Each structure stands twice: as structure tokens, then as C-alpha cells.
Amino acid sequence: MTKLRDVFITGTGAFLPGPAVGVAGMENHLGRVYGRDSILGKRVLRWNGIETRHYAMGTDGSVLHTSADMCARAVQAALDDAGGELKKLQFLATATTQGDYLVPGHATAVQGALAGPPMEIASFQSVCCSSLMAAKAAWLSVRAGEHDMAVACASEFSSRWFQPSFYEGTALCDEKGRLCAEADFLRFTLSDGAGAVVCEPKPSNKGVSLRISYIDIVSLAGTFDPCMWAGAPLDGRDDLVNAWSHAGPVKAHAAGAISLLQDFQLLKRVIRAWIGVYLKKVDEGRINPQEVDWLLCHYSAKSLRQEIISLLKNTAGMIAEEKWFSVLKEKGNTGSASIWIMLDALLKSGKLAPGQKVLCVVPESGRAMVGFLMAEAV
Amino acid sequence: VSESVSDVLRRLTIVFTGLEQRLESLPLLRKLSRGKFSLADYQALLVGLRQQVKHGARWMSRAASNISEPHLELRSIVMRHAVAEHRDYRLLESDYVATSGALADIQGAPMNIGSEALSAWMFHEASKPNPFGLLGAMWVIEGLGAIKAREWGLAIKQSLSLPDGAVRFLLYHGENDTNHIEEFHRMLSLVLPDDATAQRIIRTAEVTARLYALQIEEIAT
């Protein structure tokens, strides 16, 4: 049997489109549904604590960068960071919630945007956790000796879906033209960007590299209904016959089945399920909270309710707040791209020292999933 | 909290989240989360819960009577819990009546298979000397009261457009049991560290969680 190799993240890259947009400019950017200010927006922003974010859409609705273009730029930045060349890239694993096309996969669009040479590709699609699905494929392919250079990348162009015309005239707006909370919440939560990491069997000869210890992904979709979804209306989403593909695009749009939606009641239960999965990892010794030097999670400790923090403290599962590294406040929640944008910022902050352990936690409310990437700086 | 208490609390939390996931996919509760819950479903839920609620204070009293002198403080706490809860089933009955159900119907309903198993298990454990394992059962039952009851109560109230007076048991439990969970840490620290006790608490929580879910599963609608 081939000996498994150590695999290192030798370079990271991030791409954020356009200027940083503050809270005051958000609605000008996304547009107002039926010209109304959002009722929910301010509350959502207080909860998530995001102060600035980026949009790949201009205030006039123009496209500054496609999702594939943003992803390609992040990949190029990561390759540059690793001192690698595109022509040596052997495997490209992409992640996104919704790419520019429905078909074919996002990886084809990113390879196209890169004008990359012939290579193996894989497209992973879910929500935030798709990032780690791609990373696991990249990590394992290098680990098994299939490839000597692989990239895992992710991009999101959420704002495209947040334009007023996507909601107006659909069942998501009431008779007064107010957008339902399930849709409006996400308009104030998600923004655009891309991130990438390069995986190689040797550490970089400059700067700090990360040796990946493991990537674990646990999905609970066998238990939960969709919690954050697009492609089915608010009611009856549990029956796939109601999905957009069966209704057809015009009827589906009218039914509100095209937009991204979030079920808050279910989200509370999904958060507890994530905690259960995490504590199980702690209990099995897979994660030792005391050994973690940097925790990257696209939730901030502040956005977690106090009872969850005290639960984690009481169960010896809490990773001290000073070890939480986040750029959520400045760079926004970019879904699957978030974790790489955060890792890129950590590596470039100069704060990470060799020997330190980094734990990336990627919760996905989509249908209740959570992923973990543990790595050690070398 | 001490390391031995944290270790038990962690494993109990894992048991609870496992129970919550099992409950999530039960047909009766699926109806609730999918907006298809009927008044008949609610009445069946109240009937299904009544026996366990009624027996709760009784097995706690029996457990308290089996706690020996060196553990008097724990005995006091368990007795207080039993007192606090021993009339709760009346509230549940009045909720049933407020939904136009007949009192005789809920009082005369037989226990379902899950309730039979749960009740038998609780009294069996409570009859042992120093039945500290039952702290695991209390964690499960009180956790359900603190976390699930209020969630169900609010969802039922909203989906069936019921007045507060018809959902008092589920809503009231949500408020009351939060303090109980804080007190729970203290109860654990009275019997830990002790490996055998820790194991028994977790095992008892696992069995109780499974039988509780069976009770909900067996509610006929």
C-alpha cells in the first residue's frame, strides 16, 4: 500500500470585490424591496456584528466580477503565495453555494476563468461546509500521492440573489410589499468574496505552512429538514416534489422558491446539534480545546448566546475567547469562502507561530452539517 | 465546575442532543415543525405526556426516600423538586380541558407502551439504594422541560391559534426548569467525583432518553 504523505497548506489567497460597504450603504447597494427600508435589517446586524462587507455587484446592479472570476483570482493569489505556478496545478477542488451556472459544475467555470491547463477537477456544492468538502478532496488527493499540487477554493456571489426583483411579485412579500423575515435575514447576513488554499506534500520554503492533521465533516441531513435553502417555497419544502425543478422556473419564482431562505426556529435546534457534534469530538479526544491556539469559526463568540457559552464552559468544551480569530466584522460572512478568507488573514497577520494548532470550525445550517479542520503551523 | 462534573455534563449534553435529533424526526413532531399539527395532535400529546408527568414527582419521592444519611443535602434537593412538580399534571389536564377535551378522557386514557416502559424504568431505578444514576434521568426530563417544552408550546400556540390558557403546561415548564438546571450542577458535585456513579448517571440518561422518545413515538394520532 502506498504510504500516506503529510500534506501542507503552503499558500492562501483571498479576493474581496469592490470597496468595503458599511452598514449605512448596504441597502443602497442591494436595493430596497418595493422601495421600503428593511424592518429586520438592523436587528440582524446587531446580532451578527458585521460592520463592513464587499459586493461583486455595483449599486446599479452591474456585475463587477462573476463568482468564477472571484474564485480564479483567489486561486491565483494562493498560488502566488505558495510560490507555485498554474501550469503545475494538478487538481482543482471548488466549493460554492450557488455558482454562476446551474450546470456544469463550478470547477469548470473556475478552471475556465483561470484559463488553466488540463487537470483533474471536482465541484462541491452545499453551503459553508462545501469549503471543507473541497479541502478534504484536495488534502486526500495529495496525501494519497495522486497529485503533488492541489487547490481547494470557494466563492460566493450572494448579493446577486438579494436584488429586489428576485423577491418582488413573489409569495415572499406580503400584501403591503414587506419581505418575509426568512428571506430578509440573509440579505443582511451574507456577502461576496472568494478564498483558496494550496495543498502540497512539502511545506513552503518561505513563511509559515500548516500541516493538516484531519478534516472531519458530519452531516445530520438524515434527521433535519432543510434549514437554509433555495429551490423550494417556505411551505412544503420537505417534499421535493415542491422543488423549483418540478414547478418550472416561472411558477417557482412566483412561489418564492428561487430565493435563499432561513428557518429561524429550526436554526436554534441546528445550533444545539452542532454543539452536540463538537462536544462528541471533545469527548472522544479528537479535539482538545486546551491545545487549540487559534480557533477560526465564522460565528463570533459574541454572536453566540450567553447560555451556549456557559454550556461550553461547563462542559470543558470552550476555547477561550482570546483564541478566536475572526475577520467577520470587517470582511463579512461570505459563506463557503469565509473560512479561507479568515485563514488567509490569520496567516498574513504574523500572529501564527510554528508549533501552534489551528482549528477551523465550519457550521452549515443548510441541512445541519458541521466540519472541522485541524492543522499545525510548521 | 470541577473536572469530574464537566466530564459528566459534557456526556449528558451529548445524550440530550442525540435525543433532540431523535425527536426531530418523529412523525408527531415533524408535523409540528412542518406546520401540519392539528388540535387532535395536541390533545394526543397532552394525553401521552400526562402519565410521565404525574409519575415524575412520585419516582423522585421514592428516589429521595432511598438516599442515605450521608447524602442528606441531595435528598433535600430531590424532595424539593418532587414538591415543585407533583401538581404539574393538573396544569396539563386543565390545558386539555381548555382545548375542549373532556377531563374524564385524559384521566382515563391508558398509558402508551413508551410511557409504561419509562415509568417502570424510573420506579425500578428509584427503588435502588442511593439511586444517583437518576440524576441522569432528571437531566433529560428537566432539559426537555427547559428547552423543548417551551419551543413546542410556542409553536403549538401559534399554529393552532390557542389562548395562553390552553398551553400553560408547556409554556410554564419552560420558565420554571431553567433554575433547576443551574441547581443540577450542584447535585452532580454532591456525588462526584466517582467513576461508577458518573457511568451510571450517563447510562441512566441514555435509557431515559430512549424511553422518552418511545413514549412520543407511541402517541397515536
Side-chain angles (χ1 to χ4, degrees), chain A residues 29-223:
Chain A
H29 225 98
L30 297 174
R32 290 171 171 79
V33 178
Y34 287 116
R36 286 170 169 278
D37 287 348
S38 165
I39 307 164
L40 187 67
K42 285 200 177 76
R43 212 149 36 110
V44 176
L45 290 167
R46 260 202 310 279
W47 184 73
N48 66 31
I50 298 172
E51 291 173 4
T52 56
R53 75 282 293 144
H54 294 254
Y55 293 120
M57 183 174 72
T59 44
D60 58 354
S62 60
V63 177
L64 306 180
H65 304 275
T66 64
S67 184
D69 177 53
M70 287 189 278
C71 208
R73 287 166 190 262
V75 170
Q76 192 56 60
L79 287 169
D80 293 346
D81 189 42
E85 291 174 88
L86 180 60
K87 65 180 184 199
K88 290 188 180 158
L89 181 59
Q90 297 171 319
F91 180 43
L92 177 72
T94 67
T96 190
T97 305
Q98 304 184 87
D100 299 295
Y101 290 139
L102 287 176
V103 176
H106 191 46
T108 64
V110 177
Q111 187 185 5
L114 281 165
M119 67 177 86
E120 182 167 340
I121 60 170
S123 301
F124 291 86
Q125 187 271 323
S126 197
V127 196
C128 306
C129 235
S130 58
S131 55
L132 290 189
M133 297 174 185
K136 187 144 189 176
W139 170 56
L140 288 179
S141 77
V142 176
R143 190 159 168 72
E146 286 273 307
H147 302 295
D148 288 329
M149 191 197 281
V151 160
C153 57
S155 64
E156 301 288 3
F157 195 158
S158 306
S159 64
R160 209 74 210 128
W161 301 83
F162 297 156
Q163 300 173 88
S165 63
F166 277 53
Y167 304 105
E168 289 166 358
T170 75
L172 300 175
C173 296
D174 67 10
E175 68 283 357
K176 289 182 179 164
R178 291 173 301 200
L179 180 61
C180 66
E182 289 86 347
D184 209 16
F185 171 83
L186 293 169
R187 300 181 84 225
F188 290 84
T189 303
L190 300 171
S191 54
D192 309 337
V197 294
V198 178
C199 294
E200 295 183 272
K202 281 188 197 140
S204 168
N205 50 22
K206 61 180 180 64
V208 179
S209 294
L210 285 167
R211 181 174 45 238
I212 297 174
S213 310
Y214 60 80
I215 299 172
D216 289 354
I217 298 170
V218 180
S219 166
L220 304 171
T223 297

Side-chain angles (χ1 to χ4, degrees), chain B residues 13 52 60 63 65 79 86 88 107 133 146 151 162 176 219-220:
Chain B
T13 304
Q52 169 244 316
M60 265 192 251
S65 76
M79 284 165 83
H86 85 292
D88 278 0
Q107 287 179 336
E151 181 187 301
L162 291 171
N176 194 42
I219 293 174

Side-chain angles (χ1 to χ4, degrees), chain A residues 229-242:
Chain A
W229 73 98
L234 278 173
D235 293 326
R237 68 178 184 274
D238 52 285
D239 189 346
L240 291 176
V241 168
N242 296 323

